[in-house]
Amino acid sequence: MIRNYIKTAFRNLLKNKGFTAINILGLALGLATCLLIVFYVFDELSYDRYNTKADRIYRLNNNIKFGGNEGSYSESPAPTAVALKSDFPEIEDVTRFRQRGGNQVKKGNQNIQEDNMVYADPAIFNVFTLPMSDGNPSTALKETHSVVITEKMALKYFNSTKAVGKVLTFNDTALYKVTGVIKDIPKQSHFTFDFFISMPSLTESKDDSWFSNNFDTYILFRPGVDYKKFEAKFPEFIRKHAEAQLQGILRMTFAKLEQTGNYFRFSLIPLLKIHLESKTKYDMGSKGDIKIVYIFSAIAIFILLIACVNFMNLSTARSANRAKEVGVRKVLGSPRKYLIAQFLTESVMVTLAGAIIAVFVAWAFLPLFNQVSAKELTVTPQIIGWLVPVMITFIIVVGCIAGSYPALFLSGFQPIEVLKGKLASGFKGGMFRNSLVVFQFSISIFLIIGTVVIYNQLKYIQSKDLGYDRDHVLIVNQVWTLGNKAKTFKQEIKQLAGVKSVTLTGYLPTSGYNNNSSLFKDPVLDAKRAIQSAIWNVDEDYIPTLGIKMKSGRNFSIDMKTDTSAIIINEAAAQLLGFSNPLNQILYLPMDSKASIMRPFHIVGVIKDFNFKSLKENVTPLVLFDSEDTGSLSIRINSTDIPSLLAQVKSKWKSMSPNLQFNYSFMDEDFDNNYRTEQRIGQIAISFTSLAIVIACLGLFGLAAFAAEQRTKEIGIRKVLGASMSTIVGMLSKDFLLLVLIAICIASPFAWWAMHKWLEDFAYHQNFQWWIVIVAGLGAVLIAFVTISFQSIKAALTNPVKSLRSE
């Protein structure tokens, strides 16, 4: 019996090749797209899950409001870790990370720049799951000048994973002994360091200041601890350990500090939420965004729904043509249950074919998807483990739902009525089908509007006046490795033809360098008369090289010896300070973490605000100091022959340090890299929206063909009576276009709300423009009309003799 069902179903599907192909293609495209997005979402949600104790690991966040600035930071004070473990028996262990940038590592006669370095406490191997293939994790990072490296680095520098006892040379001077080799850290980790340097090697790790925040602190709780309840203990903990220092600096308690509107608080974030949900500043590694996961998940569901709606729509549309078949079968004695089984078999077979094709399509396009999304997704046994049951469930559920209408509705007809032709047919009677068309085009229009808004915002970011000129600026990185030759290198580059100006500093709007401190209006510290500001060390060439505009006052000058105690502030700092005229006013900077020494600085200039952070943040106070920093060299180019100039710069570098790597970038490219995630989202959104439209049009094409087929005789009569082709095309198109217009009215408010929420993440963004809805609506109408017109014109051109000859 089952074999007979399958054979009959196969014949029926072959008999209607066009509708079968549309059904299978729509399902395959929708399901393949859904699978790719599911792989992406699965990867994002799997971050840090390789840690066997992941459910008990939390990072300490530092929430500070002081001097007009408010923010949450991933870094906390150095003594916090020891104090936490000492005070709370609920804590099993605590470990810290401290990022200090990369180092040049010697390999043969070459020095290779390695940036994936971090200082780490010995407890790291008890908190995180970092399997050690060589060495002893309990002692690996206890000694000074020791380092643990990944297997990838061991192979790179020693051609073997057995590297314990060997020595690495950093920056041509410092020797570090390899005391452990760990397995490469999975890509799905919020930190992916290759070098873990022992924390005892860092003098700063022993600092007892509670108001200098530089360490990422991770807590491993004992089983059963409720971290939310534990957070309630932090205020007393902070008062116990830090209040004496606060009174020494500001001469007030934490209670008094909060009365001034300021605060200093700790909070916790679970390890498994860091990658997607952390909103703190200075997070390690690249962060994901839970909103993007939600958006992509919604897109996957929408596209799959569109594909399923197509299948259901075409199945119900074609069912009317099979009414006589049902009538004949029932007259010949076929029970209703056999008819139901026959229709469901056909539906499940189509779904099975679409699912099989979808798996191969997803697998074929996975490399391209990886390239666009910057992922390294692979089909692992773990994925196959949940994919197979999900696909089987999908095939059964979708097949049964799509086949339920013809199976249950048609099989219930009385054969005498069916054979007399009393069964209503035609497009106009299909209210259910019309609702499904509106539903799928509402989704398509929603995606079109969302894609246009995202694309528009990305264009806005690329074209916005940032307050500095990022074009034609070459950046030579790690200039600090030249040591005392850095200034000489700057002067030699300055002499090259095609170089307009040069500045020596690592503090650039695109570099990610950060250094915050509090400045006070009085030498006697008062929280009410302070500002929290970014502190950048620059030289006299910084402002002209970056094209930053002065609002008042002057730039630093090499001829002004007093400029060593001069500062330049931005408009945001000037506004927060409240001076009617900031020029020549005095600000005091604490010269140590306990503010025991206060140094006065006088304001010589005010620069116009420029975006030195992400456009997702407002411009905050910035203070420039005329002080040395050799992080990088920025060169403003005034030459069309960039390759030649680049070769000259490289030659100068090699002449000063032949064994050091020459690393460079361009500021406009660095800026674009900061928004690479948004650009990828835009590309993926455009691709998926296009697929959604294609799938929706496939269904519309099938319904238009069905409508034309149902009205063949009507069209023939109208043509005989003199109807023009345009009249017939309009008659067949207007019902569908009305449904698209209804979809526009439904989708637009939802799209406006969703995109308004997305734009809120950007401090600088374009408002939702009314023309976007019009463009999306006209686009949807045009696409629908073109799709329908193909079948309408074909029907209008048909010879009426052929359609009426049976009459």
Side-chain angles (χ1 to χ4, degrees):
M1 184 63 73
I2 295 175
R3 182 186 299 176
N4 185 58
Y5 288 151
I6 295 173
K7 186 184 294 185
T8 306
F10 188 71
R11 287 172 180 170
N12 283 326
L13 293 174
L14 284 180
K15 182 181 177 182
N16 301 286
K17 295 184 183 69
F19 279 87
T20 302
I22 290 174
N23 272 333
I24 292 175
L25 182 59
L27 275 176
L29 285 177
L31 188 54
T33 304
C34 184
L35 284 175
L36 289 174
I37 297 177
V38 167
F39 291 159
Y40 178 92
V41 170
F42 185 83
D43 183 80
E44 286 289 286
L45 295 176
S46 66
Y47 268 70
D48 294 309
R49 293 187 184 277
Y50 67 91
N51 290 286
T52 57
K53 304 172 186 175
D55 60 324
R56 295 193 283 129
I57 302 174
Y58 296 80
R59 189 187 67 197
L60 187 69
N61 290 340
N62 201 353
N63 309 301
I64 300 173
K65 183 180 180 183
F66 188 78
N69 265 347
E70 183 177 8
S72 182
Y73 304 89
S74 64
E75 298 168 332
S76 51
T80 310
V82 173
L84 282 169
K85 191 173 181 182
S86 172
D87 285 13
F88 300 109
E90 305 100 305
I91 294 177
E92 183 176 316
D93 217 335
V94 184
T95 191
R96 299 172 300 170
F97 288 141
R98 172 66 169 112
Q99 296 184 83
R100 292 290 299 268
N103 290 286
Q104 297 263 343
V105 182
K106 182 176 283 294
K107 182 181 181 182
N109 294 325
Q110 279 287 340
N111 281 292
I112 301 172
Q113 178 65 27
E114 298 286 0
D115 294 318
N116 286 338
M117 291 189 171
V118 70
Y119 289 87
D121 280 324
I124 179 179
F125 302 110
N126 186 40
V127 175
F128 297 101
T129 304
L130 301 172
M132 189 168 286
S133 58
D134 190 24
N136 184 353
S138 61
T139 59
L141 291 177
K142 286 191 173 180
E143 298 178 3
T144 59
H145 285 80
S146 61
V147 62
V148 171
I149 60 177
T150 59
E151 289 184 342
K152 180 174 66 175
M153 291 298 107
L155 290 170
K156 180 177 180 179
Y157 288 97
F158 304 113
N159 296 318
S160 171
T161 58
K162 301 297 182 183
V164 170
K166 297 181 180 180
V167 176
L168 289 170
T169 304
F170 293 173
N171 307 319
D172 272 333
T173 55
L175 301 179
Y176 283 82
K177 181 182 177 181
V178 177
T179 53
V181 178
I182 60 173
K183 299 285 186 183
D184 294 338
I185 298 174
K187 296 289 185 183
Q188 294 79 17
S189 175
H190 79 284
F191 63 84
T192 53
F193 299 110
D194 290 315
F195 296 81
F196 295 87
I197 306 171
S198 61
M199 192 67 79
S201 308
L202 187 66
T203 305
E204 180 190 6
S205 67
K206 304 175 184 67
D207 187 7
D208 62 352
S209 171
W210 282 84
F211 298 97
S212 178
N213 305 298
N214 296 306
F215 294 81
D216 292 87
T217 304
Y218 293 84
I219 298 171
L220 174 65
F221 283 116
R222 298 189 188 280
V225 176
D226 185 337
Y227 84 97
K228 283 294 184 183
K229 292 181 179 178
F230 185 86
E231 282 181 325
K233 301 179 180 181
F234 280 141
E236 178 57 35
F237 171 78
I238 294 172
R239 280 193 293 271
K240 174 183 175 182
H241 292 280
E243 190 154 271
Q245 286 188 18
L246 182 69
Q247 288 178 322
I249 297 171
L250 296 178
R251 296 169 179 81
M252 64 172 61
T253 63
F254 277 108
K256 288 285 187 182
L257 180 70
E258 298 215 358
Q259 288 175 11
T260 65
N262 300 298
Y263 58 76
F264 181 88
R265 300 168 183 165
F266 286 155
S267 63
L268 296 170
I269 180 171
L271 175 68
L272 297 179
K273 290 187 176 182
I274 291 176
H275 176 66
L276 290 175
E277 300 184 40
S278 176
K279 300 299 181 185
T280 57
K281 299 176 182 178
Y282 314 144
D283 276 305
M284 293 188 295
S286 59
K287 290 196 294 186
D289 189 342
I290 192 65
K291 287 185 179 179
I292 302 304
V293 171
Y294 292 150
I295 289 171
F296 280 6
S297 299
I299 290 174
I301 294 170
F302 287 162
I303 290 178
L304 191 58
L305 284 175
I306 290 175
C308 293
V309 163
N310 270 354
F311 185 26
M312 294 169 65
N313 237 346
L314 293 175
S315 296
T316 56
R318 291 297 297 176
S319 63
N321 287 353
R322 301 185 65 180
K324 288 185 178 179
E325 174 194 339
V326 173
V328 172
R329 283 174 175 268
K330 295 193 79 170
V331 167
L332 294 175
S334 178
R336 187 182 183 189
K337 63 180 180 180
Y338 290 163
L339 292 173
I340 292 174
Q342 182 63 57
F343 282 117
L344 290 179
T345 300
E346 291 179 20
S347 184
V348 170
M349 283 181 65
V350 172
T351 312
L352 176 63
I356 292 172
I357 294 172
V359 170
F360 284 102
V361 170
W363 176 74
F365 280 88
L366 191 57
L368 178 62
F369 184 72
N370 281 336
Q371 184 179 346
V372 174
S373 63
K375 289 283 187 182
E376 295 182 11
L377 306 177
T378 56
V379 181
T380 62
Q382 188 179 10
I383 290 177
I384 294 174
W386 60 259
L387 180 61
V388 172
V390 166
M391 292 297 288
I392 292 173
T393 304
F394 171 83
I395 291 167
I396 294 172
V397 171
V398 173
C400 290
I401 291 175
S404 60
Y405 176 82
L408 300 176
F409 184 63
L410 290 183
S411 63
F413 285 143
Q414 293 300 317
I416 188 67
E417 293 182 357
V418 173
L419 295 176
K420 282 183 177 181
K422 292 185 179 180
L423 179 64
S425 64
F427 178 76
K428 290 184 179 179
M431 179 60 71
F432 178 65
R433 290 197 301 276
N434 292 353
S435 301
L436 293 180
V437 170
V438 170
F439 175 75
Q440 64 180 179
F441 264 88
S442 295
I443 293 174
S444 298
I445 292 163
F446 179 94
L447 293 176
I448 292 172
I449 293 173
T451 300
V452 173
V453 170
I454 292 172
Y455 179 78
N456 206 31
Q457 177 63 14
L458 292 176
K459 293 294 290 183
Y460 172 76
I461 288 173
Q462 292 172 345
S463 60
K464 184 185 182 300
D465 181 8
L466 302 172
Y468 67 94
D469 185 2
R470 64 181 184 270
D471 296 323
H472 309 295
V473 177
L474 170 67
I475 302 172
V476 181
N477 300 305
Q478 289 97 37
V479 178
W480 58 268
T481 57
L482 296 177
N484 55 15
K485 298 179 183 177
K487 286 188 176 180
T488 306
F489 179 62
K490 173 189 173 180
Q491 294 305 319
E492 292 200 8
I493 298 300
K494 232 178 180 181
Q495 306 305 317
L496 295 177
V499 172
K500 186 175 182 181
S501 59
V502 183
T503 182
L504 182 62
T505 179
Y507 289 97
L508 301 172
T510 57
S511 68
Y513 262 47
N514 287 290
N515 183 23
N516 293 312
S517 185
S518 298
L519 290 98
F520 297 83
K521 294 183 182 180
D522 305 301
V524 177
L525 305 188
D526 183 351
K528 295 180 181 179
R529 294 175 61 78
I531 66 165
Q532 182 79 7
S533 173
I535 305 295
W536 286 15
N537 296 326
V538 302
D539 59 21
E540 68 280 356
D541 296 311
Y542 185 81
I543 290 175
T545 300
L546 266 63
I548 298 169
K549 297 178 177 61
M550 297 292 304
K551 182 180 181 182
S552 61
R554 63 173 178 85
N555 184 22
F556 297 126
S557 172
I558 197 170
D559 299 321
M560 301 288 290
K561 302 302 181 185
T562 57
D563 275 2
T564 54
S565 60
I567 54 175
I568 297 173
I569 64 175
N570 68 351
E571 291 174 299
Q575 183 178 2
L576 198 58
L577 286 166
F579 294 130
S580 56
N581 180 15
L583 297 181
N584 298 316
Q585 297 287 349
I586 304 296
L587 292 179
Y588 295 86
L589 176 70
M591 300 308 293
D592 61 8
S593 59
K594 297 179 181 178
S596 57
I597 303 173
M598 300 293 292
R599 182 179 171 184
F601 290 85
H602 61 284
I603 301 171
V604 298
V606 179
I607 55 174
K608 291 191 174 182
D609 283 341
F610 66 95
N611 291 96
F612 60 93
K613 295 181 179 179
S614 167
L615 288 175
K616 292 183 177 182
E617 301 179 49
N618 288 308
V619 176
T620 54
L622 172 66
V623 178
L624 304 180
F625 287 76
D626 186 9
S627 184
E628 182 177 320
D629 183 272
T630 57
S632 58
L633 188 76
S634 301
I635 308 164
R636 177 157 294 282
I637 297 171
N638 188 20
S639 171
T640 56
D641 190 3
I642 295 177
S644 175
L645 180 60
L646 187 58
Q648 293 180 66
V649 173
K650 184 176 182 179
S651 176
K652 292 289 185 184
W653 175 276
K654 288 296 182 184
S655 68
M656 290 191 171
S657 187
N659 294 329
L660 294 178
Q661 255 188 335
F662 177 70
N663 294 313
Y664 72 93
S665 61
F666 289 93
M667 186 172 284
D668 56 347
E669 293 177 354
D670 290 345
F671 175 83
D672 289 341
N673 287 335
N674 290 337
Y675 298 94
R676 190 67 66 198
T677 300
E678 285 78 11
Q679 291 169 2
R680 292 192 191 106
I681 292 167
Q683 292 173 341
I684 294 173
I686 289 171
S687 301
F688 289 157
T689 300
S690 302
L691 279 171
I693 294 169
V694 168
I695 296 168
C697 288
L698 279 173
L700 198 59
F701 180 84
L703 287 176
F706 166 72
E709 181 184 329
Q710 292 288 87
R711 304 175 74 174
T712 301
K713 287 184 172 60
E714 177 190 345
I715 293 168
I717 293 170
R718 287 179 180 273
K719 289 195 71 176
V720 168
L721 294 176
S724 65
M725 185 178 75
S726 60
T727 302
I728 294 172
V729 170
M731 176 191 72
L732 293 172
S733 302
K734 66 179 181 179
D735 291 329
F736 290 106
L737 294 180
L738 178 62
L739 298 179
V740 175
L741 290 174
I742 294 172
I744 293 171
C745 296
I746 294 172
S748 298
F750 289 104
W752 176 88
W753 175 82
M755 289 299 100
H756 183 73
K757 287 291 183 182
W758 182 75
L759 288 171
E760 284 180 350
D761 281 347
F762 294 86
Y764 300 90
H765 60 78
Q766 287 197 325
N767 293 323
F768 192 100
Q769 305 291 329
W770 59 267
W771 60 263
I772 293 176
V773 175
I774 295 177
V775 168
L778 289 176
V781 170
L782 180 62
I783 292 168
F785 182 73
V786 170
T787 304
I788 298 162
S789 295
F790 182 83
Q791 287 293 346
S792 301
I793 293 171
K794 180 182 176 182
L797 292 175
T798 303
N799 190 335
V801 173
K802 292 182 179 179
S803 58
L804 297 175
R805 62 189 174 187
S806 61
E807 301 295 323

